[in-house]
Amino acid sequence: MGRSAARSASSPTRAALVIPFLGLAGPVAGCIGGALIVAPVAALAGTIVVGGGALVVLGIQYFNTINSPFVAPAPAA
């Protein structure tokens, strides 16, 4: 039995193993494609939300710091 005959003989077995999973090809490809599209958008939105909140809080802290009066320490004897 030559190589081409051996390949064609194993083809029905291989097809029988693959056929149940062919229904998953579309949803898996769609999931991966959707994740590739949505992930950068979600990352950018998260950066804006968290970074914007941090910017507000840290800005308030900064202005409270620079506007507070400086009290010089007592001179050491």
Side-chain angles (χ1 to χ4, degrees), residues 1-18:
M1 192 183 230
R3 284 187 178 178
S4 62
R7 284 184 187 152
S8 64
S10 66
S11 182
T13 305
R14 193 176 306 158
L17 294 174
V18 173

Side-chain angles (χ1 to χ4, degrees), residues 19-71:
I19 286 174
F21 298 106
L22 290 179
L24 294 176
V28 169
C31 181
I32 292 171
L36 290 174
I37 292 169
V38 173
V41 175
L44 183 61
T47 301
I48 290 170
V49 169
V50 174
L55 186 64
V56 169
V57 170
L58 295 174
I60 291 170
Q61 183 179 6
Y62 170 74
F63 284 111
N64 285 338
T65 301
I66 65 168
N67 291 328
S68 62
F70 175 72
V71 179

